[in-house]
Amino acid sequence: VHDPPAIATPSNETTVPHWMAELSSAANFEYAVSGQYGFLPQHANLPPIAQWGFDRAESAWESDTEAFSDANFNSILLTAGNFIQYQPPTLPYEGNNPNNTTPVGATLEIFDWTEEQASGMAIYIYENWPDMAGFLNNGVPATTTEFENYNDYTLGEFHDWWLAYHESVVEERPNLNVKLIPVGPIISKLLTETDLSNIPFSELYEDDAPHGRPTLYFLASLVTYMAMYGIEAPASFQIPETVHSIARSNYETTVDFIWNELQNFDDSQGNSLVF
């Protein structure tokens, strides 16, 4: 499950599943994925339906003809909206919310249902990157100072929200294997602490939402791949030219950087993500 894009992405390269499939293929792993568009309250209106489709990533489920419990899923990944972090995840969504649904409450409904359908799955919360509009005075591209403030927020208050969100979920469902993948914060570190800081803003973001270009989703997929598989991304992976040349030429050091970040990341419960 995933939040919907504001506009249709121009290619599969601006999706994490595309890159996950490519990386998995390079490592000789089997990978298939299905997903649903929407936000957490809509995803909690169960059962879900399979809405995603990709050129290179195989579909894991045909919801029109197959029950979720028969699809042989071994993991589930979801994310919350990237613009709701101004209040705690235990408070009800603002706006039209007659049931006083909270991000944590909707998440628990989804996890409870999926556990009933296919118990024992690995469960991941994908920490995205925040809305950028509030940091920009004149729209994209961000100035150097605006981008610094944005990344500081991603690594600070925004990340703290996700830690609190994960902690609340784990406290409510300690029997489930729920792990937090800090995608946004690791990307912010890559773009501020490594040679990837030289990648032009326009090669990373296409708007202030901010939806990403292929390079950004490639980086997001590296974090996701290594967190979910528990191994480094394949050294033999041939990166296409849709990814910026700086990211291509720094692939090995980028993989090492991400792997180190994941190994040293302690979630809200003090547990390492990678075992």
Side-chain angles (χ1 to χ4, degrees), residues 35-56:
Q36 175 177 284
Y37 294 111
F39 295 96
L40 288 177
Q42 288 78 52
H43 294 317
N45 183 20
L46 298 154
I49 57 174
Q51 296 177 311
W52 293 358
F54 304 96
D55 292 338
R56 304 295 292 274

Side-chain angles (χ1 to χ4, degrees), residues 40 44 78 80 93 102-112 125 165 169:
L40 288 177
L78 61 71
Y93 287 95
T102 69
V104 170
T107 301
L108 294 176
E109 287 188 50
I110 296 166
F111 289 168
D112 287 345
I125 293 175
Y165 169 48
V169 171

Side-chain angles (χ1 to χ4, degrees), residues 1-274:
V1 288
H2 203 285
D3 290 342
I7 57 175
T9 53
S11 69
N12 282 251
E13 285 83 358
T14 52
T15 67
V16 168
H18 168 84
W19 294 111
M20 287 286 289
E22 296 291 270
L23 289 165
S24 297
S25 177
N28 293 316
F29 293 146
E30 292 185 5
Y31 177 82
V33 60
S34 292
Q36 175 177 284
Y37 294 111
F39 295 96
L40 288 177
Q42 288 78 52
H43 294 317
N45 183 20
L46 298 154
I49 57 174
Q51 296 177 311
W52 293 358
F54 304 96
D55 292 338
R56 304 295 292 274
E58 293 186 14
S59 175
W61 178 43
E62 295 297 333
S63 57
D64 291 338
T65 59
E66 185 180 26
F68 184 93
S69 58
D70 294 330
N72 197 31
F73 286 109
N74 60 17
S75 60
I76 179 173
L77 181 149
L78 61 71
T79 191
N82 70 342
F83 49 84
I84 61 173
Q85 284 69 34
Y86 58 87
Q87 64 178 23
T90 52
L91 289 185
Y93 287 95
E94 292 188 335
N96 183 19
N97 185 11
N99 296 323
N100 289 321
T101 301
T102 69
V104 170
T107 301
L108 294 176
E109 287 188 50
I110 296 166
F111 289 168
D112 287 345
W113 187 88
T114 54
E115 178 66 10
E116 289 177 0
Q117 298 293 312
S119 63
M121 287 192 295
I123 301 174
Y124 299 96
I125 293 175
Y126 176 102
E127 179 181 353
N128 49 44
W129 47 89
D131 180 23
M132 193 182 289
F135 294 86
L136 307 178
N137 290 320
N138 295 298
V140 293
T143 66
T144 299
T145 299
E146 289 170 344
F147 197 49
E148 287 177 353
N149 292 336
Y150 174 77
N151 286 304
D152 286 345
Y153 173 66
T154 305
L155 292 164
E157 292 180 25
F158 184 77
H159 182 52
D160 290 342
W161 186 94
W162 288 89
L163 290 174
Y165 169 48
H166 177 252
E167 181 177 15
S168 294
V169 171
V170 172
E171 287 181 348
E172 292 287 341
R173 298 294 185 273
N175 59 308
L176 297 181
N177 182 24
V178 183
K179 296 180 180 180
L180 175 67
I181 306 178
V183 177
I186 291 180
I187 288 177
S188 281
K189 288 187 176 183
L190 284 169
L191 298 179
T192 57
E193 299 178 13
T194 76
D195 288 344
L196 271 59
S197 62
N198 294 313
I199 300 175
F201 183 94
S202 60
E203 293 293 325
L204 296 166
Y205 305 97
E206 66 178 32
D207 56 30
D208 63 10
H211 296 99
R213 300 200 182 278
T215 299
L216 191 71
Y217 284 100
F218 173 66
L219 297 177
S221 72
L222 288 178
V223 180
T224 307
Y225 176 96
M226 288 190 264
M228 294 184 72
Y229 281 113
I231 60 172
E232 293 187 64
S236 61
F237 184 65
Q238 299 297 308
I239 310 172
E241 292 186 1
T242 50
V243 174
H244 193 272
S245 59
I246 293 176
R248 298 200 310 271
S249 62
N250 285 276
Y251 176 67
E252 183 177 346
T253 57
T254 297
V255 168
D256 289 343
F257 184 94
I258 294 171
W259 183 246
N260 183 67
E261 286 293 316
L262 290 173
Q263 288 194 310
N264 289 286
F265 171 64
D266 289 335
D267 62 23
S268 61
Q269 303 297 303
N271 300 314
S272 176
L273 179 65
V274 177

